[in-house]
Amino acid sequence: MNNLLTKFSFQVLPFLIAASLTGCSATSKTSNQLSMSYNSFARKIEIPTPTKEQKAKFNADIKSEKVDIKKPGGKVISGYKTANKEFLEEVVRPIVLPHLDELKKMPKEEMINTLALFGHELFQIYFGKDFYRWGGDILDLDDPQSEEFRHDAKYGLDCSGFSTLPYELAVYFGLLDKEDTEATASSKGFEVYCKKNNVEDKGGLDGEGNNFRVDTRELASLGREIIRIDEGGTPTDEQVSKLQAGDLVGRNGHFGIIVEINGELFYLESGGWVVPNTGGNPYHAKEALEIFAKHGIVMVRRVLADKKAI
């Protein structure tokens, strides 16, 4: 995991200040007009109602057990690890499997879009509108955590854990080849990238490896920059027109992802300044970027192929 103070500033502090920020967009529209609830549009992967047994096992109140792990350098780290992979195998996998043929036929950006919307809705159904967990990723790659927001929760995703979720799922289900550059936002794809480009995986708490878990530091350099908005800036219509589903939004410290709903671009995140304060709903991309930029520069980066010329 990257520097804890940096991550705290951008991932946890927003929970404390988000309530004062949603109304600061230059647009005259209200938050309700700029967001969209999941029950207001058709999803390509329908989510069945959780059973009592599922809700008893997978919910936000379940705590993890403290563990000690020995890193390759010899340092022992104590803390709490997630068990999101159990959720992946017992809940996510059975829902997605019947849709694999359909997903394989989709353009890559549509496939990632579908998985991002599915993952965001699913985690909200099981773990609440705000499912943030410090040091949470779907494959439980991150070092065990001993402090910060919900660090001892058994389930949940932090900002990078959610932003990379559709890419991790795409590789896990064989929809993206780990050798493909479009898979670099996944852990297996990032491992291939590191070995090919002589890049070190140094995202662990001790500055050593972190099982190639892609964190915000890595997201800030992977792929290519599509647009950049200066601190305090407002994205132009021309800039927004360059975006597509699957684009990764942020800077070292916090990231989210662009999705498309009914031909319009929206923004999703775990934690942060935008979505948690709109009832957890997808938020219009242009206004979301403006809110994000009030706290520093914002990059939009892309690992997928361009859907159209930019």
Side-chain angles (χ1 to χ4, degrees):
M1 169 118 5
N2 295 334
N3 180 272
L4 290 179
L5 182 59
T6 299
K7 292 189 71 174
F8 178 79
S9 299
F10 288 109
Q11 294 185 354
V12 180
L13 184 59
F15 290 102
L16 306 179
I17 64 176
S20 67
L21 297 174
T22 298
C24 58
S25 172
T27 180
S28 60
K29 294 181 180 179
T30 66
S31 294
N32 288 337
Q33 291 172 313
L34 291 169
S35 63
M36 181 174 286
S37 65
Y38 280 103
N39 60 12
S40 66
F41 65 95
R43 279 86 78 206
K44 295 183 178 179
I45 301 179
E46 291 289 342
I47 299 172
T49 301
T51 65
K52 289 183 179 179
E53 291 77 15
Q54 287 174 321
K55 288 294 286 183
K57 182 172 183 178
F58 300 108
N59 65 72
D61 296 326
I62 306 295
K63 300 298 183 182
S64 179
E65 294 184 3
K66 195 170 186 179
V67 297
D68 295 329
I69 66 165
K70 189 173 184 179
K71 298 300 290 284
K75 184 176 181 179
V76 175
I77 294 178
S78 299
Y80 300 84
K81 284 188 70 67
T82 55
N84 289 316
K85 195 170 182 180
E86 291 181 15
F87 183 66
L88 168 62
E89 294 173 346
E90 295 184 31
V91 176
V92 178
R93 183 178 176 85
I95 298 175
V96 174
L97 282 179
H99 297 274
L100 283 185
D101 287 342
E102 178 186 1
L103 288 164
K104 288 176 182 177
K105 295 175 184 177
M106 293 178 182
K108 298 291 179 59
E109 75 279 355
E110 183 181 352
M111 178 265 292
I112 291 295
N113 186 66
T114 300
L115 291 174
L117 286 165
F118 161 72
H120 196 254
E121 182 182 13
L122 184 70
F123 265 80
Q124 288 188 346
I125 288 173
Y126 276 84
F127 307 111
K129 292 292 187 178
D130 180 5
F131 52 84
Y132 184 94
R133 194 273 198 191
W134 182 275
D137 64 279
I138 193 64
L139 297 178
D140 307 321
L141 301 174
D142 216 336
D143 282 339
Q145 304 298 308
S146 60
E147 56 184 349
E148 310 306 353
F149 191 79
R150 294 189 70 240
H151 70 276
D152 59 349
K154 194 170 185 178
Y155 309 107
L157 303 173
D158 63 16
C159 72
S160 53
F162 169 68
S163 298
T164 60
L165 174 64
Y167 291 94
E168 291 284 20
L169 292 179
V171 174
Y172 175 83
F173 286 108
L175 300 167
L176 282 179
D177 189 321
K178 68 179 183 179
E179 301 287 340
D180 194 326
T181 56
E182 293 181 305
T184 53
S186 72
S187 53
K188 290 186 181 298
F190 181 58
E191 181 177 5
V192 171
Y193 170 84
C194 287
K195 292 177 178 177
K196 285 184 177 179
N197 295 279
N198 197 28
V199 174
E200 290 187 81
D201 170 32
K202 302 186 69 173
L205 286 174
D206 56 353
E208 295 184 358
N210 201 23
N211 302 303
F212 298 98
R213 187 262 219 251
V214 180
D215 212 325
T216 62
R217 181 187 63 176
E218 289 78 37
L219 288 175
S221 62
L222 292 178
R224 57 205 181 280
E225 185 175 304
I226 304 302
I227 66 170
R228 177 181 291 238
I229 304 163
D230 292 332
E231 182 174 3
T234 300
T236 65
D237 290 339
E238 181 182 3
Q239 286 179 310
V240 174
S241 71
K242 296 178 180 180
L243 307 184
Q244 68 182 43
D247 285 347
L248 298 158
V249 180
R251 56 180 173 271
N252 186 6
H254 184 62
F255 262 84
I257 191 169
I258 296 292
V259 293
E260 183 177 316
I261 303 171
N262 295 338
E264 294 186 271
L265 295 176
F266 287 80
Y267 169 79
L268 300 179
E269 65 184 357
S270 175
W273 295 276
V274 184
V275 176
N277 202 39
T278 60
N281 294 324
Y283 201 83
H284 269 245
K286 183 177 182 181
E287 289 77 13
L289 290 171
E290 182 180 351
I291 294 172
F292 203 152
K294 289 185 178 295
H295 311 281
I297 64 130
V298 176
M299 295 179 288
V300 178
R301 304 190 68 85
R302 181 176 300 162
V303 296
L304 297 177
D306 297 333
K307 179 180 178 181
K308 57 186 177 181
I310 57 174

